[in-house]
Every structure is written in C-alpha cells, then in structure tokens.
Amino acid sequence: MKLVTRSRSTVHVAVGVLINDVNEILIAQRPKGKPFPGFWEFPGGKIEPQETPCQALLRELHEELGIEINPDHPLLLGNVKYAYPEFIFQAPVFICTSWERQPQPLEGQRLVWAKPFDLLSYNLLPACKGICLLLQEKTDFIARERKRNIFQDSMNKIIKNVPNPTR
Ligand SMILES: Nc1nc2c([nH]c(=O)n2[C@H]2C[C@H](O)[C@@H](COP(=O)(O)OP(=O)(O)OP(=O)(O)O)O2)c(=O)[nH]1
Ligand SMILES: [Mg+2]
C-alpha cells in the first residue's frame, strides 16, 4: 500500500490582543466570504514576506479597524501554533493597550469588547484557545508591563475553562 503524505503550508499571522481601559478584549467575528465564517478571532492577519510581525500587525489593525498604533507600543507575548487540517497556523501574539481612533468594523466583521472571563463563551477559532492560554500564562507579565492588576484578576478566572489545545 502506498502511503500518501500531505505537506501543509505554514501561515504566519500577526495577532493583536487589544485591551481597553476597562480591561475588555476586542474580538471580531469573521464575515461571510472569508475562511471560517462566523467564528470569533483576535484582530490581525497574514504577515507579508517583506514585513516584520509588528509591521504586519500595525498594517492589519489599520486595514481592519482603522486604528493607528505607535510602533513602539505592541508587546510581544509569545508565539502560538496550531495545526489545522489544511495549514499550520503560526502566530506571534501582541498585546496593545493604546491606539489612536476608535476601532471600527471596516471589513464587515462584528466587533465585541469581551470580558476576559467571557471570552470562551464565544465560538472562537480553535487556534484562539492557545492564544487565551498564552494570555492566561502571561498575566503577571501583562500586569507588570501595563499596570493591569484588574486584568490579572479577570484572566485568572478563565484558567479552569481553557481546554488544552493540541499545539
Ligand atoms: N487574524 C486572526 N486569524 C486567525 C486567528 N486564529 C486563527 O486560527 N486564525 C486564522 C484564520 C485564517 O485562516 C488565518 C489568517 O488570518 P486572516 O484571515 O485574519 O488573514 P488576513 O486578515 O490577512 O485576511 P485576508 O487578507 O487573507 O482575507 O489565521 C486569530 O485569532 N486572528
Ligand atoms: Mg484578518
């Protein structure tokens, strides 16, 4: 019997976790016409070959939400990998707590500011569970860097709900 192996390409995606002044997190519902319609995700998009992850993040957040972010501001939390049947999702994940202008749904997506402990009640893309875990793991770091003690408390509440995804 012949063994057929499929090689999956890796898609590099810059992901932004926007946290507002009351420690809510911005999530977006993918519109019809894009892959995975109806699923919720963190804003961001594919990194172009000539871009750094941070440059891609700033461009994507401008295109999708119409906001401007100081290039020195996003804080890299870590990398999340998830194997979909069709491709490997590989994402540097940044947090942002400051930007110019209000986020707007410029690509027909629904936007919601979710409380950290509500995040998992949304139908998130499978790879986003890994992003939630990373947020949870890094709450001390986020609190220290961004003086977000309330955020730390909220994030601690989601720990027991995050299933451990296959990474
Ligand atoms: N932006 C984003 N994409 C995610 C997340 N989780 C996850 O599995 N993905 C997947 C969905 C997509 O198949 C892939 C690329 O993201 P994307 O569709 O946002 O890429 P993009 O903004 O460049 O979109 P496009 O120009 O190709 O239409 O990553 C997430 O939290 N945020
Ligand atoms: Mg996108």
Side-chain angles (χ1 to χ4, degrees):
M1 198 173 72
K2 217 170 143 191
L3 199 68
V4 180
T5 51
R6 255 189 327 151
S7 67
R8 281 175 287 188
S9 57
T10 298
V11 176
H12 296 270
V13 180
V15 167
V17 178
L18 269 62
I19 306 173
N20 70 13
D21 290 344
V22 289
N23 296 298
E24 294 162 334
I25 294 176
L26 190 67
I27 52 172
Q29 188 177 34
R30 294 179 64 85
K32 288 188 194 131
K34 278 207 172 195
F36 307 115
F39 279 90
W40 292 84
E41 66 175 10
F42 300 96
K46 296 185 202 76
I47 304 171
E48 302 288 341
Q50 77 287 359
E51 286 178 323
T52 65
C54 188
Q55 285 169 342
L57 179 77
L58 268 44
R59 176 183 53 72
E60 287 287 346
L61 297 184
H62 175 76
E63 288 172 8
E64 295 183 356
L65 304 171
I67 61 173
E68 309 293 339
I69 296 183
N70 178 327
D72 295 333
H73 186 75
L75 194 59
L76 180 65
L77 280 191
N79 285 279
V80 168
K81 192 173 174 178
Y82 184 86
Y84 287 102
E86 301 79 14
F87 66 95
I88 310 230
F89 168 88
Q90 169 85 57
V93 177
F94 295 86
I95 61 160
C96 303
T97 51
S98 147
W99 52 85
E100 299 285 324
R101 292 202 274 276
Q102 278 304 306
Q104 299 162 59
L106 297 182
E107 296 191 339
Q109 72 280 43
R110 251 177 87 197
L111 296 180
V112 162
W113 285 104
K115 306 256 180 252
F117 48 82
D118 274 346
L119 270 183
L120 296 167
S121 63
Y122 290 84
N123 190 22
L124 295 172
L125 280 171
C128 295
K129 310 258 165 64
I131 298 173
C132 290
L133 260 186
L134 178 68
L135 282 172
Q136 205 286 322
E137 282 164 13
K138 295 281 177 151
T139 47
D140 289 354
F141 174 72
I142 298 169
R144 198 167 54 242
E145 295 294 322
R146 294 287 185 253
K147 301 187 173 51
R148 292 301 174 100
N149 296 319
I150 304 167
F151 180 74
Q152 189 174 20
D153 290 345
S154 319
M155 286 308 294
N156 283 336
K157 290 185 188 146
I158 78 169
I159 184 169
K160 56 181 180 301
N161 300 322
V162 187
N164 211 336
T166 323
R167 286 205 241 171

